């Protein structure tokens, strides 16, 4: 497989891709604008941030804080409420580690069967550590959150509810408005995993806290965001420690600088912050590109539904954010993915880091195709032709 044979050039900022890349929900291709923003700094014009001392450092500080401002504007919050993390997983661990510190027996943490492991295991472990109960909100047989259980799941004992805005398996959007209303009524906090939402221009307005990753939102790897609304960051405590976040260090104890910097110990991913800000700027400007994604997703869904033996996970009549997962009767998802790979169609197969959901739906694995603004009708056609040819593997 030579890159030459697979590469093709696309117009616009998304640059060069090769093959039919349908795995953007795992990691999306990066915008040239994001790369340019990082390169601008990394080519001999960078210094560490918040260390002071010289003009290059001050300039890097300025650019880093500008990037924080851009992220804040995109999310509709203030810059003081934006923390740069290593990714969605790091943000969720920080939230679970910090928010649950004072929980104990009688308190309840609510997650759902839809969650990616990154929004399940940190809360599970916090519950085990603190003695709080972990309540897992079931999905319906179709694979969407069972909203009839809203009041049963979120009760006056609930301290925090952590839910995905967009499922990484079905692409369906959670009803955050109803969940947030109930969360407010019982005086709990709402954490939203927006990892699959931000790339589609959704940003969990209802959340007290949200997280996402740069590499799924057309930005660089190694960076993510934890953001709060309504001053929520003030309720967090640092759970990781090191340089950059301390005000004074004595042998007997230390004090911290103010929010959000006290939640960014060590050297933060400052070049990546510039890249991420550039990607979010692009997403903000290019809303029309997202309409193309939903058209392609619908076409893929309809095409798959028309094939005998293909089962699409989740209800078929609802809008999906760029994700279609499916199985083919009698063919293992890995074999379907291999047939597709041989045709240059790159999808994900397996449990999608969502074992609780797989178990709830009685599945061992699925194939997932996911779409982004650089995909075209040719990618959908290649997917459908590949799945069609995988039907021949049925025993
Ligand atoms: C819904 C969801 N949450 C969290 C994550 C974890 O993201 P990361 O691995 O970038 O931390 C993913 C990654 O696939 C995801 O799809």
């Amino acid at each position: 497989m030579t890159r030459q044979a697979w590469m093709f050039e696309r117009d616009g900022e998304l640059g060069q891709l090769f093959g039919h890349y349908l795995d953007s929900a795992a990691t999306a291709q990066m915008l040239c604008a994001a790369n340019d923003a990082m390169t601008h700094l990394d080519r001999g014009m960078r210094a560490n941030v918040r260390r002071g001392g010289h003009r290059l450092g001050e300039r890097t500080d300025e650019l880093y804080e500008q990037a924080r401002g851009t992220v804040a504007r995109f999310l509709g919050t203030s810059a003081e409420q934006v923390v740069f993390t290593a990714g969605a997983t790091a943000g969720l661990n920080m939230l679970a580690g910090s928010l649950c510190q004072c929980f104990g027996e009688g308190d309840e943490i609510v997650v759902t069967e839809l969650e990616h492991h990154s929004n399940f295991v940190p809360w599970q472990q916090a519950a085990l550590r603190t003695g709080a109960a972990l309540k897992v909100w079931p999905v319906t047989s179709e694979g969407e959150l069972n909203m009839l259980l809203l009041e049963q799941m979120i009760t006056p004992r609930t301290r925090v509810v952590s839910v995905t805005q967009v499922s990484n398996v079905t692409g369906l959007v959670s009803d955050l408005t109803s969940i947030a209303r109930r969360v407010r009524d019982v005086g709990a906090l709402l954490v939203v995993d927006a990892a699959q939402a931000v790339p589609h221009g959704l940003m969990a307005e209802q959340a007290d806290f949200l997280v996402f990753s740069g590499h799924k939102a057309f930005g660089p790897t190694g960076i993510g965001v934890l953001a709060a609304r309504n001053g929520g960051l003030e309720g967090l405590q640092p759970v990781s420690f090191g340089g950059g976040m301390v005000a004074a260090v004595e042998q007997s104890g230390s004090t911290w600088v103010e929010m959000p910097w006290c939640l960014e110990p060590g050297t933060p991913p400052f070049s990546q912050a510039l890249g991420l800000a550039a990607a979010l700027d692009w997403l903000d400007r290019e809303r029309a590109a997202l309409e193309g994604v939903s058209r392609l997703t619908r076409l893929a869904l309809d095409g798959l539904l028309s094939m005998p033996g293909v089962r699409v996970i989740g209800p078929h009549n609802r809008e999906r954010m760029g994700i279609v997962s499916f199985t083919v009767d009698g063919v293992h998802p890995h074999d379907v993915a291999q047939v597709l790979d041989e045709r240059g169609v790159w999808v994900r197969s397996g449990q999608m880091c969502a074992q609780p959901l797989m178990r709830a739906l009685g599945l061992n694995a699925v194939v997932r195709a996911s779409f982004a603004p650089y995909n075209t009708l040719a990618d959908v056609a290649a997917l459908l032709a590949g799945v069609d040819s995988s039907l021949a593997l049925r025993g």
Side-chain angles (χ1 to χ4, degrees):
M1 177 180 107
T2 65
R3 182 177 162 84
Q4 193 61 32
W6 291 76
M7 193 165 67
F8 58 93
E9 199 159 348
R10 295 254 159 99
D11 292 332
E13 285 180 289
L14 285 153
Q16 291 184 331
L17 296 173
F18 50 101
H20 299 285
Y21 188 72
L22 296 180
D23 198 15
S24 299
T27 287
Q29 303 300 326
M30 189 163 71
L31 286 154
C32 291
N35 192 41
D36 291 348
M38 288 192 291
T39 308
H40 176 67
L41 199 69
D42 284 337
R43 280 210 179 135
M45 285 300 284
R46 69 182 192 181
N48 210 319
V49 289
R50 299 202 310 274
R51 301 299 192 266
H54 52 72
R55 276 175 293 160
L56 193 56
E58 282 167 16
R59 180 173 171 276
T60 316
D61 271 353
E62 215 174 286
L63 293 172
Y64 183 54
E65 295 308 327
Q66 273 171 17
R68 195 189 305 277
T70 303
V71 173
R73 269 193 305 284
F74 180 85
L75 296 175
T77 188
S78 61
E80 298 74 42
Q81 296 293 307
V82 170
V83 183
F84 287 115
T85 66
T89 304
L92 290 164
N93 275 284
M94 191 187 289
L95 283 169
S98 181
L99 289 175
C100 302
Q101 263 172 6
C102 57
F103 292 4
E105 273 183 33
D107 292 327
E108 293 177 354
I109 301 168
V110 178
V111 294
T112 84
E113 281 182 336
L114 282 175
E115 303 313 316
H116 186 282
H117 296 158
S118 291
N119 194 29
F120 193 100
V121 184
W123 302 106
Q124 175 194 61
Q125 294 302 307
L128 291 171
R129 257 193 331 269
T130 60
L134 182 77
K135 278 174 86 174
V136 183
W137 189 341
V139 293
T140 64
S141 56
E142 279 206 287
E144 48 180 350
L145 200 55
N146 188 342
M147 291 304 286
L148 296 176
L149 302 177
L150 177 72
E151 299 199 352
Q152 194 177 320
M153 295 309 302
I154 304 174
T155 71
R157 288 172 176 254
T158 306
R159 303 289 302 274
V160 61
V161 177
S162 193
V163 60
T164 190
Q165 185 168 18
V166 172
S167 158
N168 70 314
V169 177
T170 62
L172 295 179
V173 184
S174 304
D175 177 1
L176 290 186
T177 303
S178 304
I179 296 172
R181 197 177 307 125
R182 177 71 181 158
V183 166
R184 305 272 175 269
D185 284 351
V186 302
L189 290 168
L190 178 61
V191 173
V192 174
D193 175 356
Q196 298 293 350
V198 166
H200 298 278
L202 304 179
M203 53 214 68
E205 285 86 357
Q206 307 87 338
D208 294 300
F209 299 97
L210 70 125
V211 302
F212 67 96
S213 293
H215 68 103
K216 295 183 197 289
F218 318 113
T221 57
I223 188 164
V225 167
L226 183 173
R229 296 214 166 81
N230 317 316
L233 231 47
E234 305 308 322
L236 297 185
Q237 295 292 325
V239 288
S240 305
F241 308 93
M245 50 84 72
V246 285
V249 178
E250 304 291 342
Q251 288 202 357
S252 56
S254 303
T255 55
W256 323 132
V257 294
E258 65 270 38
M259 293 287 175
W261 301 284
C262 67
L263 298 180
E264 295 180 351
T267 299
F270 56 86
S271 300
Q272 291 91 329
L274 269 58
L276 177 58
L280 296 183
D281 255 345
W282 183 91
L283 257 179
D284 219 15
R285 282 196 317 272
E286 303 291 332
R287 295 272 159 178
L290 299 178
E291 284 163 29
V293 176
S294 74
R295 260 196 313 278
L296 293 183
T297 310
R298 185 77 235 173
L299 282 172
L301 177 68
D302 289 344
L304 289 166
L305 288 173
S306 71
M307 287 183 202
V310 175
R311 177 181 159 203
V312 174
I313 316 305
H316 304 154
N317 54 354
R318 302 256 311 282
E319 196 186 0
R320 288 157 181 262
M321 294 294 132
I323 291 175
V324 186
S325 294
F326 59 95
T327 55
V328 177
D329 286 349
V331 188
H332 194 282
H334 292 326
D335 294 334
V336 177
Q338 194 179 339
V339 170
L340 289 166
D341 185 25
E342 281 159 11
R343 294 165 156 257
V345 181
W346 295 326
V347 295
R348 173 115 182 251
S349 61
Q351 298 185 323
M352 307 299 127
C353 296
Q355 287 180 20
L357 181 61
M358 293 293 135
R359 214 167 289 124
L361 297 179
L363 296 164
N364 286 325
V366 297
V367 183
R368 180 182 73 188
S370 51
F371 299 89
Y374 37 79
N375 288 121
T376 65
L377 282 172
D379 298 327
V380 176
L383 169 73
L384 297 177
V387 174
D388 192 48
S389 77
S390 78
L391 295 174
L393 297 179
R394 287 193 290 182

